[in-house]
Short mmCIF file of all heavy atoms in Angstrom, two decimals:
data_model
loop_
_atom_site.label_atom_id
_atom_site.label_comp_id
_atom_site.label_asym_id
_atom_site.label_seq_id
_atom_site.Cartn_x
_atom_site.Cartn_y
_atom_site.Cartn_z
N ILE Q 148 2.54 27.07 19.70
CA ILE Q 148 2.97 27.21 18.30
C ILE Q 148 4.48 27.31 18.23
O ILE Q 148 5.13 26.67 17.37
CB ILE Q 148 2.33 28.47 17.67
CG1 ILE Q 148 0.81 28.35 17.67
CG2 ILE Q 148 2.83 28.65 16.24
CD1 ILE Q 148 0.11 29.62 17.19
N VAL Q 152 7.08 24.78 16.30
CA VAL Q 152 7.98 25.30 15.28
C VAL Q 152 9.42 24.84 15.54
O VAL Q 152 10.13 24.39 14.63
CB VAL Q 152 7.89 26.83 15.22
CG1 VAL Q 152 9.10 27.42 14.51
CG2 VAL Q 152 6.61 27.24 14.50
N MET Q 183 9.80 34.81 15.52
CA MET Q 183 8.92 35.13 14.40
C MET Q 183 7.45 34.94 14.78
O MET Q 183 6.59 35.76 14.45
CB MET Q 183 9.28 34.23 13.21
CG MET Q 183 8.95 34.81 11.85
SD MET Q 183 9.42 33.66 10.52
CE MET Q 183 11.16 33.47 10.81
N VAL Q 184 7.15 33.84 15.48
CA VAL Q 184 5.78 33.57 15.91
C VAL Q 184 5.31 34.64 16.89
O VAL Q 184 4.19 35.18 16.77
CB VAL Q 184 5.70 32.17 16.55
CG1 VAL Q 184 4.31 31.94 17.15
CG2 VAL Q 184 6.01 31.09 15.51
N MET Q 199 11.38 37.42 9.94
CA MET Q 199 11.83 36.49 8.91
C MET Q 199 13.14 36.96 8.30
O MET Q 199 14.09 36.17 8.12
CB MET Q 199 10.75 36.36 7.82
CG MET Q 199 11.18 35.59 6.58
SD MET Q 199 11.54 33.86 6.92
CE MET Q 199 12.37 33.41 5.38
N ALA Q 228 14.11 26.58 5.31
CA ALA Q 228 13.50 26.08 6.56
C ALA Q 228 12.84 27.20 7.34
O ALA Q 228 11.77 27.02 7.92
CB ALA Q 228 14.57 25.39 7.41
N ALA Q 229 13.45 28.39 7.37
CA ALA Q 229 12.86 29.52 8.10
C ALA Q 229 11.53 29.95 7.49
O ALA Q 229 10.59 30.31 8.21
CB ALA Q 229 13.83 30.70 8.10
N PHE Q 230 11.44 29.90 6.17
CA PHE Q 230 10.18 30.26 5.53
C PHE Q 230 9.14 29.16 5.68
O PHE Q 230 7.97 29.43 5.98
CB PHE Q 230 10.41 30.56 4.04
CG PHE Q 230 9.15 30.81 3.27
CD1 PHE Q 230 8.55 32.06 3.29
CD2 PHE Q 230 8.54 29.80 2.55
CE1 PHE Q 230 7.37 32.30 2.59
CE2 PHE Q 230 7.37 30.03 1.85
CZ PHE Q 230 6.78 31.29 1.87
N TYR Q 231 9.56 27.93 5.48
CA TYR Q 231 8.63 26.80 5.42
C TYR Q 231 7.97 26.53 6.77
O TYR Q 231 6.77 26.23 6.82
CB TYR Q 231 9.37 25.56 4.93
CG TYR Q 231 8.52 24.32 4.79
CD1 TYR Q 231 7.28 24.37 4.16
CD2 TYR Q 231 8.96 23.10 5.28
CE1 TYR Q 231 6.51 23.23 4.03
CE2 TYR Q 231 8.19 21.95 5.14
CZ TYR Q 231 6.97 22.02 4.52
OH TYR Q 231 6.21 20.89 4.39
N VAL Q 232 8.71 26.63 7.85
CA VAL Q 232 8.14 26.25 9.14
C VAL Q 232 7.67 27.47 9.95
O VAL Q 232 6.46 27.68 10.12
CB VAL Q 232 9.12 25.37 9.94
CG1 VAL Q 232 8.46 24.90 11.24
CG2 VAL Q 232 9.55 24.16 9.11
N PRO Q 233 8.57 28.31 10.47
CA PRO Q 233 8.07 29.36 11.38
C PRO Q 233 7.29 30.47 10.69
O PRO Q 233 6.30 30.96 11.25
CB PRO Q 233 9.35 29.89 12.03
CG PRO Q 233 10.43 29.57 11.08
CD PRO Q 233 10.04 28.30 10.40
N PHE Q 234 7.71 30.87 9.49
CA PHE Q 234 7.01 31.98 8.85
C PHE Q 234 5.56 31.61 8.53
O PHE Q 234 4.63 32.39 8.79
CB PHE Q 234 7.73 32.42 7.58
CG PHE Q 234 7.07 33.58 6.90
CD1 PHE Q 234 7.19 34.86 7.42
CD2 PHE Q 234 6.32 33.40 5.75
CE1 PHE Q 234 6.56 35.95 6.80
CE2 PHE Q 234 5.69 34.46 5.12
CZ PHE Q 234 5.81 35.74 5.66
N LEU Q 235 5.33 30.43 7.96
CA LEU Q 235 3.96 30.02 7.67
C LEU Q 235 3.15 29.81 8.95
O LEU Q 235 1.94 30.11 9.00
CB LEU Q 235 3.96 28.74 6.84
CG LEU Q 235 4.54 28.85 5.41
CD1 LEU Q 235 4.47 27.51 4.69
CD2 LEU Q 235 3.82 29.94 4.61
N ALA Q 236 3.80 29.34 10.00
CA ALA Q 236 3.11 29.16 11.28
C ALA Q 236 2.72 30.49 11.91
O ALA Q 236 1.78 30.55 12.72
CB ALA Q 236 3.98 28.36 12.24
N THR Q 237 3.41 31.56 11.53
CA THR Q 237 3.10 32.88 12.09
C THR Q 237 1.67 33.31 11.76
O THR Q 237 1.03 34.05 12.53
CB THR Q 237 4.11 33.91 11.57
OG1 THR Q 237 5.42 33.51 11.95
CG2 THR Q 237 3.83 35.28 12.12
N PHE Q 238 1.12 32.84 10.64
CA PHE Q 238 -0.24 33.23 10.26
C PHE Q 238 -1.27 32.66 11.23
O PHE Q 238 -2.36 33.23 11.36
CB PHE Q 238 -0.53 32.78 8.82
CG PHE Q 238 0.18 33.60 7.79
CD1 PHE Q 238 1.43 33.24 7.33
CD2 PHE Q 238 -0.41 34.75 7.28
CE1 PHE Q 238 2.10 34.00 6.38
CE2 PHE Q 238 0.24 35.51 6.32
CZ PHE Q 238 1.50 35.14 5.87
N VAL Q 239 -0.95 31.57 11.89
CA VAL Q 239 -1.86 31.06 12.93
C VAL Q 239 -1.89 32.03 14.10
O VAL Q 239 -2.95 32.34 14.66
CB VAL Q 239 -1.42 29.66 13.39
CG1 VAL Q 239 -2.39 29.10 14.42
CG2 VAL Q 239 -1.30 28.71 12.20
N ALA Q 240 -0.70 32.53 14.47
CA ALA Q 240 -0.64 33.51 15.56
C ALA Q 240 -1.37 34.80 15.19
O ALA Q 240 -2.02 35.43 16.04
CB ALA Q 240 0.82 33.81 15.91
N MET Q 241 -1.29 35.18 13.91
CA MET Q 241 -1.98 36.39 13.48
C MET Q 241 -3.50 36.21 13.49
O MET Q 241 -4.25 37.15 13.72
CB MET Q 241 -1.49 36.83 12.10
CG MET Q 241 -0.06 37.36 12.12
SD MET Q 241 0.43 38.20 10.58
CE MET Q 241 0.42 36.85 9.42
N MET Q 242 -3.99 35.01 13.20
CA MET Q 242 -5.43 34.75 13.33
C MET Q 242 -5.89 34.96 14.76
O MET Q 242 -7.01 35.42 15.01
CB MET Q 242 -5.73 33.29 12.93
CG MET Q 242 -5.83 33.01 11.46
SD MET Q 242 -6.37 31.29 11.23
CE MET Q 242 -5.11 30.71 10.14
N PHE Q 255 -9.82 26.95 11.51
CA PHE Q 255 -8.67 26.56 10.68
C PHE Q 255 -8.24 25.13 10.98
O PHE Q 255 -8.02 24.32 10.05
CB PHE Q 255 -7.54 27.55 10.93
CG PHE Q 255 -6.17 27.00 10.71
CD1 PHE Q 255 -5.71 26.71 9.44
CD2 PHE Q 255 -5.30 26.78 11.79
CE1 PHE Q 255 -4.43 26.20 9.24
CE2 PHE Q 255 -4.04 26.28 11.60
CZ PHE Q 255 -3.60 25.99 10.32
N LEU Q 362 2.35 18.83 10.60
CA LEU Q 362 2.29 20.23 10.16
C LEU Q 362 2.25 20.37 8.65
O LEU Q 362 2.06 21.49 8.15
CB LEU Q 362 3.50 20.99 10.70
CG LEU Q 362 3.63 21.11 12.22
CD1 LEU Q 362 4.91 21.89 12.58
CD2 LEU Q 362 2.41 21.80 12.82
N ASP Q 363 2.43 19.27 7.92
CA ASP Q 363 2.55 19.38 6.47
C ASP Q 363 1.32 20.00 5.82
O ASP Q 363 1.43 20.79 4.87
CB ASP Q 363 2.86 18.01 5.85
CG ASP Q 363 1.83 16.95 6.24
OD1 ASP Q 363 0.91 17.27 7.01
OD2 ASP Q 363 1.96 15.81 5.79
N LEU Q 365 -1.07 21.73 7.67
CA LEU Q 365 -1.43 22.95 8.41
C LEU Q 365 -0.65 24.17 7.94
O LEU Q 365 -1.21 25.27 7.82
CB LEU Q 365 -1.22 22.73 9.90
CG LEU Q 365 -2.14 21.69 10.57
CD1 LEU Q 365 -1.63 21.36 11.97
CD2 LEU Q 365 -3.56 22.21 10.63
N LEU Q 366 0.64 24.00 7.71
CA LEU Q 366 1.49 25.16 7.41
C LEU Q 366 1.04 25.92 6.16
O LEU Q 366 0.85 27.15 6.22
CB LEU Q 366 2.95 24.72 7.30
CG LEU Q 366 3.61 24.29 8.61
CD1 LEU Q 366 5.01 23.73 8.34
CD2 LEU Q 366 3.68 25.46 9.59
N PRO Q 367 0.88 25.29 5.01
CA PRO Q 367 0.45 26.07 3.84
C PRO Q 367 -1.00 26.49 3.89
O PRO Q 367 -1.41 27.39 3.14
CB PRO Q 367 0.70 25.10 2.67
CG PRO Q 367 0.61 23.76 3.26
CD PRO Q 367 1.12 23.87 4.66
N THR Q 368 -1.80 25.87 4.75
CA THR Q 368 -3.21 26.25 4.86
C THR Q 368 -3.40 27.50 5.71
O THR Q 368 -4.37 28.25 5.51
CB THR Q 368 -4.02 25.08 5.44
OG1 THR Q 368 -3.83 23.93 4.62
CG2 THR Q 368 -5.50 25.39 5.51
N ALA Q 369 -2.48 27.74 6.65
CA ALA Q 369 -2.63 28.88 7.57
C ALA Q 369 -2.75 30.21 6.85
O ALA Q 369 -3.68 30.99 7.13
CB ALA Q 369 -1.48 28.89 8.56
N PRO Q 370 -1.85 30.57 5.91
CA PRO Q 370 -2.01 31.87 5.24
C PRO Q 370 -3.28 31.95 4.39
O PRO Q 370 -3.87 33.03 4.23
CB PRO Q 370 -0.75 32.00 4.37
CG PRO Q 370 -0.24 30.62 4.22
CD PRO Q 370 -0.60 29.89 5.47
#
Side-chain angles (χ1 to χ4, degrees):
I148 299 174
V152 162
M183 207 180 301
V184 173
M199 171 65 193
F230 175 82
Y231 182 47
V232 184
F234 181 75
L235 293 181
T237 301
F238 287 91
V239 182
M241 290 192 294
M242 279 186 233
F255 153 70
L362 297 179
D363 55 358
L365 293 168
L366 290 174
T368 303

